[in-house]
Amino acid sequence: METPLTPLEFARRARKLYGYREAVVDGSLRLTYEQFFERCDRWSAALQAMGVRKGDRVAYIAPNTHEQLESFYAVPQTGAVLVPINFRLTADDFVYITSHSGAKVLCVHPDYLEVVDGVRGRLTGVEHFISLGSAGGRKGWKEYDPLLAKSGPRFDRPDIAENDLLALNYTSGTTARPKGVMITHRNAWMNVMDTLVHFHITVDDTYLWTLPMFHANGWTFVWIITAAGGRHICLPKVEPARVFDLVRSEHVGWLCAAPTVLISLANAPASARGDVPKGVQVITAGAPPAAATIERLEGEFGWNVTQVYGLTETSPFLTICEPRPEHAKLSPTERGVVKAKTGVEMIGAGEMRVVDSEGKEVPMDGEHMGEIVFRGNVILQGYYRDPEATEKVMAGGWFHTGDAAVVHPDGYVEIRDRIKDVIISGGENISSIEVEGVLLRHPAVQEAAIVGLPHEKWGEAPFAFVVLKSGATATEKELIDYTRERLAHFKAPHGVSFVNELPKTATGKIQKFVLRKGAAAIVRQ
Ligand code: AMP
């Protein structure tokens, strides 16, 4: 006997077992699992009444609210495909993604109605515009809650096969057009189960939504927490004071966040922090976390940080920096260094290799860099309407991540850069992540980014952008000397530019192409 692998199964079970338990907190609203799923059913019925059928696409532009969380059940249980759009993208991107996905219905948080109205003339394929709150009298919008109230909870549940599409998750598209990553029900189910194997989340646990739900389906925590019967605490905007407040008042035990969010928590002023409860389990990914950040969260807050790694294309988790008993004996500084490694294959993700340009595995010496390639059950079905890009990324039967890494003698992999960001200076590879990690240990440095710039003699040379901690000072020479004392001299930055903030994507990645342009202009001056 086989039942299709789909996260909707977790919803069925949670409703039966945990219906009376609190499921979702969003501001002053509190919903039990029964109330939450009833709302999802009503929205499924409303979508079907609008003509949404199996395979149709329904797009969302929304921060982390309960309406956004509802979309991860209400849309797929009708057999339709969810398209959660990054709300920090431009109006042009909204048009591109909505049109490319062929979405029939576009659901928009009130904060983004104006932007969408500005490009409405170009959204010709959209049949229904839904405001996920008051539309404030704007024309052409139907409001979500009145539609739910009018709709009954009955809808037609189509058969769903595990390889049916669940979501189209568009990549951030820093230089090229965003690509639609096709994630199936089976992909998502695998990621949920695999995460639950490594992280023991229980019915007694509370999860804070510091990670955007649109980012790879909230790393599938939209379903993981429900599968466990835990509580979702929605958080539309990440402000350190609010995070610490909720950790205290809702007894938060778990959160996921990109390293940049962790840096902002670690550096929050005492007035924003208050008493920080110990024991919060933090899962971080999206960019490499620095050892210094991990050390501070563990040493000062008594939190436990675990790094995972993956891509939107891989549902998303591939590796975990698995804690081992021998790590417990290390000093916080040594442990920070171990925990900053990317890690090992997750149990259910599949097989990882780090290969050179000929496809040969690099030696396990912590020195030779290669590309991480992967095959297994979490790999995307393909890029939507883009067979060429799909073929390219799957060349030779392996998914090519574009991440450059070394393998240590203990088998732990460590990402050194995106392949395109590796700096080659005088024939030597320089890992920007390694140099950034050293700068982040300087007491005055809050954030750092290294980019490669053309150099007459060396081909390329590293250049640093640094954000100083509030009230702290440091000179360019001091930071260059600091790096030279700790790394081979050719890795030290040739120049440092002090900035108020680093340009980042909504998913916490530093936009190095923006910095490269800025650095080139500074050097030319
Ligand atoms: P996205 O698809 O937006 O999640 O981006 C995936 C990319 O983020 C990967 O290819 C990596 O370059 C980067 N990334 C994700 N997790 C990590 C990690 N733990 N360490 C280093 N880079 C990471």
Side-chain angles (χ1 to χ4, degrees), residues 147-198:
L147 283 171
L148 278 194
K150 256 199 333 218
S151 171
R154 285 187 175 281
F155 68 99
D156 295 327
R157 265 180 201 274
D159 283 338
I160 288 169
E162 62 188 38
N163 287 316
D164 285 348
L165 266 193
L166 192 171
L168 285 177
N169 298 113
Y170 279 77
T171 56
S172 342
T174 41
T175 44
R177 278 295 195 187
K179 291 200 276 288
V181 174
M182 295 159 75
I183 296 295
T184 62
H185 283 256
R186 176 186 163 88
N187 287 150
W189 187 92
M190 287 286 172
N191 200 80
V192 171
M193 290 304 277
D194 206 13
T195 309
L196 285 170
V197 168
H198 287 279

Side-chain angles (χ1 to χ4, degrees), residues 129-265:
F129 289 86
I130 312 295
S131 170
L132 297 167
S134 164
R138 286 177 177 277
K139 287 212 186 71
W141 292 92
K142 289 178 217 153
E143 290 176 356
Y144 185 71
D145 268 313
L147 283 171
L148 278 194
K150 256 199 333 218
S151 171
R154 285 187 175 281
F155 68 99
D156 295 327
R157 265 180 201 274
D159 283 338
I160 288 169
E162 62 188 38
N163 287 316
D164 285 348
L165 266 193
L166 192 171
L168 285 177
N169 298 113
Y170 279 77
T171 56
S172 342
T174 41
T175 44
R177 278 295 195 187
K179 291 200 276 288
V181 174
M182 295 159 75
I183 296 295
T184 62
H185 283 256
R186 176 186 163 88
N187 287 150
W189 187 92
M190 287 286 172
N191 200 80
V192 171
M193 290 304 277
D194 206 13
T195 309
L196 285 170
V197 168
H198 287 279
F199 296 101
H200 300 150
I201 299 166
T202 72
V203 68
D204 203 20
D205 279 322
T206 296
Y207 175 83
L208 180 63
W209 272 104
T210 36
L211 173 83
M213 293 183 197
F214 70 74
H215 188 203
N217 308 312
W219 301 351
T220 73
F221 276 78
V222 292
W223 302 297
I224 290 168
I225 298 305
T226 302
R231 294 194 313 145
H232 297 264
I233 313 295
C234 296
L235 180 65
K237 196 161 180 232
V238 180
E239 287 155 342
R242 182 90 184 114
V243 170
F244 290 116
D245 264 354
L246 285 169
V247 167
R248 272 188 297 272
S249 63
E250 295 294 339
H251 307 288
V252 168
W254 294 84
L255 59 88
C256 293
T260 166
V261 172
L262 301 186
I263 290 175
S264 73
L265 295 180

Side-chain angles (χ1 to χ4, degrees), residues 172 215 285-288 307-313 342 401 403 415 418 507 509:
S172 342
H215 188 203
Q307 178 185 185
V308 290
Y309 153 71
L311 299 86
T312 302
E313 283 88 335
T342 318
T401 63
D403 290 309
I415 292 185
R418 289 293 293 164
T507 56
K509 293 183 202 344

Side-chain angles (χ1 to χ4, degrees), residues 284-340:
T284 191
T293 313
I294 298 175
E295 187 188 327
R296 285 191 64 190
L297 286 183
E298 297 212 334
E300 286 177 32
F301 292 4
W303 290 7
N304 182 45
V305 182
T306 309
Q307 178 185 185
V308 290
Y309 153 71
L311 299 86
T312 302
E313 283 88 335
T314 61
S315 300
F317 294 155
L318 295 175
T319 73
I320 177 169
C321 186
E322 185 179 67
R324 301 235 169 123
E326 51 270 33
H327 302 161
K329 299 186 205 104
L330 301 173
S331 72
T333 306
E334 289 166 331
R335 202 166 46 245
V337 172
V338 171
K339 288 192 165 196

